[in-house]
Amino acid sequence: MSSNKIWLSPPHMGGREQWHINQAFETNWISTAGPQIDAFERSLTDFIGSEYAAVLGSGTAAVHLALRIIGVAKGDSVICQTFTFAGSANPIVYQGANPIFMDSEKDTWNMNPSLLEDTLTGITKSNQRLPKAIIPVHLYGMPAKMAEINSIAEKYGIAVIEDAAEALGSEIEGVPVGNMGAMSILSFNGNKIITTSGGGALLSNNKEYIDKAKFLATQARDPAPHYQHTQIGYNYRMGNINAAIGLGQMEVLQERIKRKREIFDYYLNMLGNVEGIEFNLEPKGYFSNRWLTTILVDSYERKESIRLALERENIESRPLWKPMHLQPVFKDAQYFGGNVAENLFGRGLCLPSGTELNEDDLATIVHLIKSIFI
Ligand SMILES: *Cc1c(COP(=O)(O)O)cnc(C)c1O
């Protein structure tokens, strides 16, 4: 593999991660407990403004624990945004529950609140059991319409699990996402806006939820001198070394958000007036961390031409997430909606958005994309 490949969103260390790792080594906190874990959890709750956090091995593990803590079990159903990564939806199946996938609206590309409302009304009228949870996602950093979704969920008494995996640093009306559901999840996977190599977090204002998450994440070990278990648990805790990386990354999060947004603005300025390219602009009051810059192209063929032209120059781009209701593994799942997510998938492309891209890289990418439209 060439060393000068341009990746979609590679890890970008801030410089102090190694120092934090050394602190962990010097004090021999190498395993799944330690001051770096506590400090990383505090830095997340400070940043987001929520009360409690549990850092975990992955964002997917956080979704799983959230469902388990709410009591999602075999035979239950859970509503999940269809336009997302499999990590949002797979844990529903881990719990033996059935996913119900929900289409997006066109402003934010996230869960359509009026469709959600219609679906819940329909379920109520036909005397079926209501879903146990709703999982909206802030895709590519663009916040979902949380006020609307939360008020519908509240009306029906359904818990909201906010998937903020891609949206650390995004805001609605100045309020950071990640504290807009009964529980919220983050991911620190390698390509996210900050990374701990791999990892995730579960956040909540409810202490019981987060205590329970920590308990379940350490094999549900009861307080006893010997190993005693009255429940089935998981090995889902984050390592202290990973948390040390996270501490270093939190120090540069604001810089990363700023650079991600500059990259979006650059693409928008250079390509916004090309006929056949559209950008997803922020609705009023919405602030996206612009984790990945995405474009919509006028046809599937043209989108593929762009992707392949970039690939020939060793530049990675990627189609938008393939909706869950179109995934072979979920072919039997219920789906409510039209073709909004499907259309986004067909025409959309994620552009290289790494925070270390320089002006020459960006100019090359823009030039290659423009060449497809001549
Ligand atoms: C990354 C991601 C997750 C969690 O992924 P992990 O790799 O398990 O940390 C969940 N949902 C979305 C939308 C994601 O992008």
Side-chain angles (χ1 to χ4, degrees):
M1 206 172 329
S2 159
S3 62
N4 55 15
K5 171 153 182 164
I6 294 180
W7 298 95
L8 203 59
S9 183
H12 181 183
M13 292 297 106
R16 290 243 307 156
E17 292 81 2
Q18 194 73 58
W19 182 86
H20 287 287
I21 291 172
N22 291 346
Q23 296 296 107
F25 267 78
E26 279 164 22
T27 51
N28 204 34
W29 288 105
I30 304 301
S31 187
T32 52
Q36 280 69 27
I37 285 182
D38 300 339
F40 186 36
E41 287 174 346
R42 259 196 320 276
S43 76
L44 291 172
T45 51
D46 285 353
F47 184 88
I48 286 173
S50 63
E51 297 284 332
Y52 307 101
V55 292
L56 301 163
S58 71
T60 307
V63 177
H64 187 197
L65 290 177
L67 293 170
R68 167 91 187 255
I69 289 163
I70 281 168
V72 171
K74 195 166 166 34
D76 287 335
S77 64
V78 172
I79 291 181
C80 181
Q81 182 166 321
T82 192
F83 193 42
T84 190
F85 169 61
S88 310
N90 283 342
I92 300 168
V93 181
Y94 302 168
Q95 283 304 99
N98 304 307
I100 299 176
F101 292 115
M102 187 80 28
D103 205 359
S104 293
E105 38 78 14
K106 288 176 181 160
D107 301 336
T108 72
W109 299 1
N110 294 311
M111 188 181 287
N112 184 332
S114 61
L115 194 60
L116 174 67
E117 171 114 65
D118 291 350
T119 302
L120 293 173
T121 309
I123 290 174
T124 309
K125 278 201 181 126
S126 64
N127 276 325
Q128 287 168 273
R129 235 169 8 123
L130 282 169
K132 273 265 176 73
I134 300 169
I135 308 177
V137 187
H138 309 305
L139 221 58
Y140 304 113
M142 180 67 80
K145 295 192 170 169
M146 290 308 290
E148 293 86 340
I149 291 168
N150 276 327
S151 89
I152 297 162
E154 197 176 333
K155 188 164 124 193
Y156 287 89
I158 304 174
V160 170
I161 298 170
E162 180 194 16
D163 184 344
E166 303 181 0
L168 182 58
S170 300
E171 299 173 0
I172 303 174
E173 307 286 354
V175 178
V177 304
N179 193 21
M180 296 181 177
M183 280 175 267
S184 304
I185 80 120
L186 297 173
S187 169
F188 311 112
N189 182 39
N191 65 5
K192 296 285 155 61
I193 192 160
I194 62 164
T195 183
T196 60
S197 167
L202 186 68
L203 294 102
S204 179
N205 292 332
N206 184 327
K207 184 169 188 301
E208 273 175 46
Y209 285 165
I210 298 304
D211 286 347
K212 185 85 189 276
K214 291 181 180 181
F215 168 74
L216 290 172
T218 43
Q219 302 288 20
R221 190 180 165 200
D222 294 335
H226 52 274
Y227 277 81
Q228 169 143 322
H229 308 275
T230 48
Q231 293 181 55
I232 295 293
Y234 314 92
N235 182 2
Y236 276 176
R237 283 295 270 166
M238 177 181 279
N240 193 54
I241 302 302
N242 299 75
I245 300 173
L247 277 177
Q249 289 272 278
M250 283 304 283
E251 293 174 16
V252 291
L253 175 57
Q254 291 294 2
E255 283 171 46
R256 297 291 178 269
I257 297 163
K258 183 163 168 283
R259 183 62 186 151
K260 289 279 191 190
R261 289 179 60 85
E262 278 171 10
I263 289 167
F264 176 88
D265 289 341
Y266 180 87
Y267 285 127
L268 179 64
N269 285 334
M270 302 304 280
L271 297 169
N273 58 3
V274 173
E275 186 136 0
I277 298 186
E278 287 170 61
F279 285 81
N280 186 15
L281 302 178
E282 291 162 330
K284 193 169 167 296
Y286 280 58
F287 179 91
S288 170
N289 70 2
R290 293 295 183 194
W291 170 53
L292 295 181
T293 293
T294 56
I295 53 170
L296 289 184
V297 185
D298 49 6
S299 72
Y300 173 82
E301 291 72 24
R302 184 116 66 184
K303 180 202 74 175
E304 276 303 285
S305 306
I306 294 173
R307 191 179 67 75
L308 295 170
L310 292 170
E311 190 174 271
R312 276 193 295 276
E313 300 301 321
N314 215 11
I315 298 168
E316 184 182 33
S317 66
R318 194 183 294 158
L320 302 190
W321 297 121
K322 179 171 181 174
M324 289 301 118
H325 74 281
L326 299 178
Q327 299 287 354
V329 72
F330 290 124
K331 66 181 189 322
D332 297 328
Q334 265 191 293
Y335 171 65
F336 289 93
N339 58 5
V340 175
E342 192 168 339
N343 183 43
L344 292 167
F345 169 61
R347 297 200 291 127
L349 198 65
C350 302
L351 300 181
S353 306
T355 40
E356 287 186 287
L357 283 174
N358 61 37
E359 304 310 305
D360 286 348
D361 298 332
L362 288 167
T364 302
I365 294 162
V366 161
H367 178 76
L368 283 164
I369 294 172
K370 278 188 168 167
S371 74
I372 302 298
F373 285 86
I374 296 165

